[in-house]
Amino acid sequence: MKNRYRNYLIITEQDKAWGFYINNLGRTVIEKNTDYPSSDHPDNYVFTWKKGRVLDEFHLVLITKGEGVFESKETGEIKITDGDVFLLFPGMWHRYKPLKKTGWTERWVGFSGKIANQFLLNGFFTPNAPIISNCNKEPILNYFNSLYRLYDEEPFGFQRIASGLCIQLMGELYNINHGGTHLEYLNSMVSRAKKLMYESINKSINLKAIALTLDVSYSKFRMDFKKQTGLSPLQYYLLLKIEKSKELLLSSQKNQKEIAFELGFESDYYFNRLFKQKTGLSPGKFRNFNKKKL
């Protein structure tokens, strides 16, 4: 790896209209006993430890080797070590530096846009918890390397492709942050649970029996399932049934009662009420409205 790679980009109005665009990206190896930060960045990115800095864009910084400190008004001073990511938010005062005795290797990407604002300011990532640990993983490094390669080659539409890669990178970081060391277990457990639910879509389901099959307590099963999907197992299972019922309403001539019976609902009334609650329409109105569009 080269000791330094930087790319500060020219942003067009078309890039801004896309809603998510990358302003700059790079990687730097800071050797031991080196002054930090260097003064050869563009003026709006330069800062000193004494004064700190406020940006008008988001930055994502990954440390892959070494140690240092990060400080913001919201967090106070926090120790940073290899594998840590820290997020910088627009308008957030901050400063950071490697320890003189270790230096560090940093990778970063700065980005802006309406989608970025919505994506990051809706509670998924917050200024008072900007540190994500255990990120020195192959998928994360691959996203950075793909971004560097894109901006080196600059194929047609590279900014839009890069915005998608950056959003995927943020998705990986969110999963690491919330799945922690149990991410592989969560993926496996939830995947198996979903498969069992789909196999039981035409009947009632015993979620406690599914937890037993997965060799976990029901309370842990429910908690971990919701952490991964945002829904309780029961709500997810009911949504599966509703999606299947939509398919049957549009692809068959079966009436509402027949579909309710086929999908194992306890009554036609319950099916009708649940369907309207989840879709805003009764089954009959859903069928008529969507068939007119076909």
Side-chain angles (χ1 to χ4, degrees):
M1 184 185 78
K2 296 178 181 178
N3 276 3
R4 188 171 75 173
Y5 166 88
R6 295 176 185 168
N7 200 332
Y8 293 93
L9 306 165
I10 297 171
I11 306 301
T12 68
E13 290 304 314
Q14 185 180 51
D15 294 330
K16 293 179 180 179
W18 187 252
F20 191 113
Y21 54 93
I22 292 174
N23 300 302
N24 54 82
L25 70 166
R27 60 189 172 221
T28 309
V29 177
I30 309 298
E31 303 291 353
K32 298 177 185 178
N33 302 312
T34 303
D35 290 336
Y36 186 89
S38 63
S39 58
D40 57 348
H41 296 276
D43 289 346
N44 52 323
Y45 295 105
V46 172
F47 72 98
T48 64
W49 178 256
K50 183 176 181 180
K51 291 185 177 180
R53 179 179 65 177
V54 176
L55 294 172
D56 61 359
E57 62 188 62
F58 296 98
H59 267 214
L60 183 163
V61 184
L62 167 66
I63 305 304
T64 54
K65 185 179 180 181
E67 296 180 5
V69 291
F70 168 88
E71 183 178 355
S72 73
K73 183 179 178 181
E74 288 80 1
T75 65
E77 189 170 295
I78 300 174
K79 179 182 176 181
I80 298 295
T81 189
D82 63 299
D84 285 349
V85 159
F86 51 90
L87 293 165
L88 310 176
F89 293 76
M92 179 184 86
W93 177 88
H94 63 270
R95 59 184 182 179
Y96 53 91
K97 63 180 180 180
L99 299 183
K100 286 277 190 180
K101 65 179 182 180
T102 64
W104 71 18
T105 300
E106 62 184 15
R107 289 169 167 81
W108 80 88
V109 56
F111 51 94
S112 301
K114 292 179 181 178
I115 294 174
N117 290 333
Q118 181 181 2
F119 185 62
L120 291 176
L121 296 179
N122 59 5
F124 289 108
F125 301 94
T126 60
N128 61 357
I131 312 297
I132 305 172
S133 299
N134 302 311
C135 298
N136 201 354
K137 299 176 183 291
E138 186 175 353
I140 300 298
L141 296 172
N142 285 344
Y143 281 121
F144 274 102
N145 291 335
S146 295
L147 287 169
Y148 299 145
R149 189 163 53 250
L150 257 180
Y151 283 99
D152 278 340
E153 298 171 359
E154 294 195 4
F156 177 75
F158 69 97
Q159 265 280 29
R160 289 173 286 285
I161 297 170
S163 71
L165 286 172
C166 196
I167 289 175
Q168 290 179 67
L169 171 60
M170 297 307 298
E172 288 280 0
L173 292 174
Y174 179 83
N175 290 341
I176 290 170
N177 197 28
H178 289 265
T181 56
H182 303 294
L183 186 57
E184 187 175 331
Y185 153 75
L186 278 176
N187 286 335
S188 173
M189 184 274 290
V190 172
S191 178
R192 290 168 62 199
K194 287 178 177 178
K195 184 175 184 293
L196 290 169
M197 288 179 184
Y198 199 80
E199 288 173 351
S200 301
I201 199 168
N202 294 334
K203 53 188 176 185
S204 299
I205 197 169
N206 186 333
L207 293 170
K208 291 184 178 180
I210 284 184
L212 191 63
T213 300
L214 297 171
D215 199 27
V216 293
S217 68
Y218 178 70
S219 60
K220 180 168 177 54
F221 167 57
R222 188 181 187 283
M223 179 181 67
D224 288 348
F225 191 95
K226 189 168 184 178
K227 179 188 286 187
Q228 176 79 326
T229 66
L231 295 168
S232 70
L234 177 59
Q235 287 303 309
Y236 186 89
Y237 177 64
L238 290 175
L239 283 177
L240 273 183
K241 283 182 176 286
I242 293 300
E243 289 304 310
K244 183 64 177 179
S245 70
K246 288 180 183 178
E247 179 186 322
L248 291 171
L249 284 164
L250 298 180
S251 65
S252 75
Q253 298 301 315
K254 295 175 181 178
N255 62 38
Q256 179 177 313
K257 287 185 178 181
E258 290 172 324
I259 291 173
F261 177 78
E262 181 172 330
L263 292 178
F265 284 99
E266 61 189 42
S267 69
D268 172 38
Y269 171 77
Y270 176 61
F271 167 57
N272 184 79
R273 182 165 60 87
L274 184 66
F275 191 98
K276 191 170 184 179
Q277 179 187 348
K278 299 298 184 184
T279 68
L281 297 170
S282 68
K285 287 184 178 179
F286 174 86
R287 170 179 271 167
N288 292 335
F289 178 76
N290 284 278
K291 284 202 168 183
K292 285 178 184 178
K293 297 193 297 184
L294 296 178

